[in-house]
């Protein structure tokens, strides 16, 4: 007895619906097995929420971490220049400690105290060309807080010891710090703020 075409297609259509229910399409366009349908998750499943691509040396495993954070990495210092920067850091540290203990951390006071060590204030043209000097003292970087930008009290210090070596420091109400580093691509001796 001949069977109708529609009777033969019905089981195939039912199987297609079961398959469609078992697989879901993710936002990234990959097919993933639906765990409620009894199928095992695919090998490309990202249950942990981690990125499918991890850049070598990426701090938090995010895609393009190194590329996105390149502005936050200081340059390399030669060993001899690092030693010179260390010596200058040791000259600056007691001055900042004294100012911090006295509760004096405004940029003008910090600048005046450091100029007494014999440093010359750095001079730069509008387009960023350095004209001389090695010391820059400025206000802290502003940050977004309570629906607006605020500039915390304190001073940032940048001393260019060599083209590849800096002393970076800050002094503020809560603490002070002095360290050595190579220059940053966009901010020279100053560690750039987060957010780009």
């Amino acid at each position: 007895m001949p069977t109708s075409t529609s009777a033969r297609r019905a089981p195939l259509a039912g199987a297609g619906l079961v398959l469609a229910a078992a697989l879901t399409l993710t936002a990234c366009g990959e097919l993933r097995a639906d765990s409620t349908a009894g199928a095992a998750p695919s090998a490309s499943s990202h249950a942990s929420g981690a990125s499918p691509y991890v850049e070598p040396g990426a701090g938090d495993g995010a895609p393009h971490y190194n590329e996105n954070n390149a502005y936050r990495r200081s340059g390399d210092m030669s060993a001899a220049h690092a030693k010179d920067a260390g010596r200058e850091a040791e000259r600056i540290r007691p001055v900042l400690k004294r100012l911090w203990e006295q509760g004096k951390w405004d940029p003008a006071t910090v600048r005046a105290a450091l100029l007494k060590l014999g440093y010359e204030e750095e001079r730069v043209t509008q387009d960023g060309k350095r004209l001389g000097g090695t010391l820059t003292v400025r206000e802290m970087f502003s940050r977004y807080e309570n629906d607006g930008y605020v500039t915390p009290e304190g001073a940032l210090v940048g001393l260019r010891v060599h083209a590849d070596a800096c002393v970076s420091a800050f002094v503020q109400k809560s603490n002070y710090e002095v360290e050595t580093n190579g220059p940053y691509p966009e901010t020279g001796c100053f560690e750039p703020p987060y957010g780009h």
Side-chain angles (χ1 to χ4, degrees), residues 19-130:
L19 180 60
L23 296 175
T24 58
L25 187 62
T26 68
C28 295
E30 43 186 344
L31 281 176
R32 210 182 282 177
D34 184 356
S35 59
T36 61
S42 71
S44 64
S45 176
H46 307 300
S48 68
S51 167
Y53 170 73
V54 178
E55 200 173 315
D60 65 0
H64 306 290
Y65 176 88
N66 289 327
E67 179 183 333
N68 292 340
N69 288 285
Y71 76 104
R72 294 200 49 82
R73 276 193 277 300
S74 64
D76 294 329
M77 290 187 283
S78 73
H81 291 173
K83 190 173 181 179
D84 291 346
R87 265 195 309 274
E88 296 304 323
E90 292 310 311
R91 292 182 68 214
I92 290 172
R93 186 172 281 109
V95 174
L96 295 187
K97 180 181 181 192
R98 178 178 47 82
L99 293 172
W100 178 71
E101 289 170 344
Q102 295 172 351
K104 297 178 180 178
W105 41 76
D106 63 282
T109 301
V110 173
R111 183 181 303 108
L114 293 176
L115 288 173
K116 288 179 182 176
L117 293 178
Y119 301 122
E120 184 182 340
E121 202 163 356
E122 187 172 37
R123 296 176 315 284
V124 181
T125 63
Q126 292 283 17
D127 63 355
K129 182 179 176 188
R130 294 182 58 236

